[in-house]
Amino acid sequence: MNALTLARLTPDRITSLRPDALDAATLAGAREIVDAVRREGADALRRYAVRFGERSESDPLLLDREAMTAALDRLDAPTRAVLERTASRIRAFALAQRASINDLDIPVPGGRAGHTIEPMSSAGCYAPGGRYPLPSSVLMTAITARAAGVGRVVVCSPNASDAMLAAAALADADAFLVAGGAHAIGALAYGFDGFDPCDIVVGPGNRWVTAAKQLVSADIAIDMLAGPSELIVIADDAADPVVVAADLLAQAEHDPDASAGLITTDETLARKVERELARQLETLPTRDTAEASLREHGFICVVDSLDAAAATSDRFAPEHLQLCVREPDALARRIRHTGAVFLGERTAEVFGDYGVGPNHTLPTGGLARRTGGLSVLHFLRVRTWIRMDASDERRDDGVATDAASLARLEGLEAHARAAEARLRVAPAR
C-alpha cells in the first residue's frame, strides 16, 4: 500500500488549488435558461425538466402536501425515525435562533423609535438531487424558513424520491417543485402560471444553480453563492491520523471539486495521515470521487505554530473548520473567518452535516470573510419605525430644526419645509 501524496502548500499559496465557483460559460448558459423560464414560464420549465431527465411530458411539476405526506407514510420505520429526530434537532436550534432576535423600542428626542422583525412571505428551498440526493438539505433549509415565520415554503429538487418528499413533509413545506439546475432557480424567482414567485431562494447546488442564483439576485434575495464544499482540519501532534484521514475523505467524497486540506504543526502526523488516506480509500465505495478530489484539490500545509495555523486558515476562510488539537476552544478564539467551526477531535464535521442543530448550508470560496451560514436571519427583515409624540418646539429637542438645516445644506427646500411644518402640529393625544 502506497501513501496518497497530497500537494504541499505554503501559507501564502493556501488558496491556489481552490476551484472557481463560476465560469463564464456556465454563467452565459444559465442566463439563457433563466431568461427562457422568465419569458415562457411553465412551458420552458417543462422543456428543460424533460431534457435533463427530471420529469416526463406528463409528470406533474408541482407536488402538494398530500403527495409529500404519502411519501412519508411509505417510509420504513427506521428511516422515518431518523428523519424525524434530525428534523426535531434542526427545528429546536432554529427556533432558539429566532427567539434570540428581538424587536426594539427606545426613547428618542420627541418620541420613540425602534424596529420590528418581520419574516419574508415566501421562500424557495433548493436541495441537490443529482449524484447524492440530500434530504438533509431539505430539512436544513425548509425547517429554518418555517421557524423564521415564513408563510409559504416551497421545496425544490430534481429528485422526488420518497426520502426527499418525506423530508419536505416533516419540514411542513407547502409544495415540492420537481426541477433542478438553472431552470429551477428561474422558476422559483419568477414563477409561472399557478405558481407565485418566491421572495428568497436558498440552498446549495451545482455550478448551474450558483450561476442562476447570481442572475436572479437582482430581483429576489438569495442566501449566498455557494461553490464546491470545503474542509480544513487543523491538527497538532496529539491528533489521531485515522480520525483526520476519515474526516478528509468524508469531505472529498462530496464531489471531485470538493476541497479537503490539513494544516498541521507536525510533519510526522502529515505523513501518517497520507498513509491512512491510502488505506481507507482501499475499501471506500466512493473512492473514485474522493481520490479525484484529493488529487486535484487536497493539500497539506505544515506550519511552525498554532498561531500560524490560525492565520493560514483565516487566509483560506473555509466553509468547515475542524480543530483536532489539545485546546480547541483557545484556538477557536484566534480564528476569525470560517463558516462553521467544529471543536475537538470528537466533534466530527459530519455531525454538522446531519443535523445536530446548526445549519449545514455554509459559505464557500472565501465568502466566510463576509457572511455566515444559513440561519433564520436570512428569512427575516428589520423594519424600523418612528413615532413623534410632541412637537419639536415644545420639547426643545431641536429635531425639526436640525432636519430643516440639514435639508437646506443638501439643497432640498421641500424637505426643510416638511420638517418645519411639524412645529405647528399639536402634540399627539
Side-chain angles (χ1 to χ4, degrees):
M1 178 187 68
N2 297 318
L4 175 66
T5 303
L6 300 186
R8 293 299 182 106
L9 299 182
T10 56
D12 61 312
R13 296 189 65 248
I14 197 69
T15 62
S16 62
L17 299 181
R18 172 184 273 157
D20 293 332
L22 283 177
D23 59 87
T26 302
L27 196 60
R31 186 184 301 278
E32 180 180 335
I33 294 171
V34 169
D35 286 348
V37 173
R38 188 174 190 177
R39 288 192 314 269
E40 304 171 44
D43 289 342
L45 180 62
R46 169 79 62 182
R47 184 167 69 250
Y48 288 116
V50 171
R51 178 188 299 180
F52 297 121
E54 298 160 355
R55 305 303 271 169
S56 71
E57 291 284 358
S58 58
D59 288 333
L61 292 170
L62 269 178
L63 303 177
D64 59 16
R65 284 185 184 232
E66 184 177 353
M68 291 181 275
T69 302
L72 179 62
D73 291 339
R74 287 193 296 268
L75 289 185
D76 60 84
T79 301
R80 177 168 181 158
V82 73
L83 287 176
E84 288 175 337
R85 290 193 300 270
T86 304
S88 178
R89 291 191 290 264
I90 295 169
R91 184 175 291 109
F93 189 87
L95 288 172
Q97 276 188 327
R98 179 62 186 90
S100 72
I101 306 165
N102 301 309
D103 291 349
L104 176 68
D105 183 340
I106 65 169
V108 298
R112 302 192 70 81
H115 69 229
T116 56
I117 307 297
E118 308 290 342
M120 296 183 185
S121 296
S122 180
C125 300
Y126 188 89
R131 181 182 286 106
Y132 307 113
L134 302 179
S136 58
S137 287
V138 174
L139 298 176
M140 288 285 183
T141 54
I143 287 176
T144 305
R146 192 64 89 190
V150 175
R152 170 178 169 252
V153 177
V154 178
V155 170
C156 178
S157 176
N159 188 301
S161 67
D162 280 356
M164 297 290 277
L165 291 171
L170 291 172
D172 194 26
D174 296 292
F176 193 110
L177 178 61
V178 190
H183 51 293
I185 302 303
L188 292 172
Y190 301 117
F192 53 88
D193 187 28
F195 182 84
D196 292 333
C198 299
D199 297 317
I200 184 171
V201 171
V202 303
N206 63 18
R207 60 195 177 100
W208 292 94
V209 170
T210 300
K213 285 169 74 174
Q214 177 168 304
L215 293 169
V216 304
S217 63
D219 297 306
I220 65 167
I222 64 170
D223 51 352
M224 65 194 80
L225 296 175
S229 192
E230 304 163 344
L231 169 70
I232 282 181
V233 178
I234 295 181
D236 59 17
D237 61 348
D240 183 342
V242 175
V243 170
V244 173
D247 292 334
L248 294 174
L249 288 171
Q251 181 64 28
E253 74 175 350
H254 272 290
D255 187 275
D257 283 336
S259 177
L262 169 64
I263 301 175
T264 181
T265 55
D266 184 49
E267 174 62 40
T268 299
L269 175 73
R271 292 194 296 270
K272 289 179 179 178
V273 167
E274 287 180 320
R275 288 195 292 271
E276 267 302 314
L277 287 170
R279 186 186 68 80
Q280 294 181 33
L281 274 168
E282 289 183 345
T283 59
L284 188 67
T286 54
R287 173 175 182 161
D288 289 348
T289 300
E291 189 167 5
S293 166
L294 290 173
R295 291 196 184 280
E296 293 297 320
H297 308 292
F299 63 86
I300 291 175
C301 179
V302 179
V303 294
D304 58 9
S305 69
L306 287 178
D307 281 338
T312 303
S313 175
D314 272 347
R315 183 173 298 183
F316 193 96
E319 177 188 18
H320 308 98
L321 176 63
Q322 189 152 348
L323 304 182
C324 295
V325 297
R326 290 182 179 85
E327 298 181 1
D329 293 315
L331 181 57
R333 288 192 288 271
R334 291 176 250 174
I335 304 290
R336 297 188 61 197
H337 307 304
T338 183
V341 62
F342 301 85
L343 299 163
E345 200 163 72
R346 292 183 60 84
T347 312
E349 182 274 327
V350 297
F351 294 160
D353 286 344
Y354 292 121
V356 167
N359 212 284
H360 76 194
T361 305
L362 298 165
T364 63
L367 288 178
R369 298 186 67 85
R370 58 184 185 272
T371 190
L374 185 69
S375 72
V376 294
L377 289 167
H378 282 91
F379 303 99
L380 300 175
R381 302 159 295 162
V382 176
R383 186 170 68 191
T384 59
W385 57 268
I386 303 172
R387 177 185 176 89
M388 306 302 283
D389 295 318
S391 75
D392 185 69
E393 189 176 53
R394 287 180 174 81
R395 291 287 299 268
D396 192 30
D397 299 312
V399 172
T401 301
D402 283 351
S405 296
L406 282 170
R408 291 191 172 104
L409 182 65
E410 296 181 352
L412 299 173
E413 181 60 27
H415 280 63
R417 294 179 184 182
E420 290 172 340
R422 268 54 187 185
L423 296 173
R424 296 188 295 275
V425 176
R429 298 183 186 281

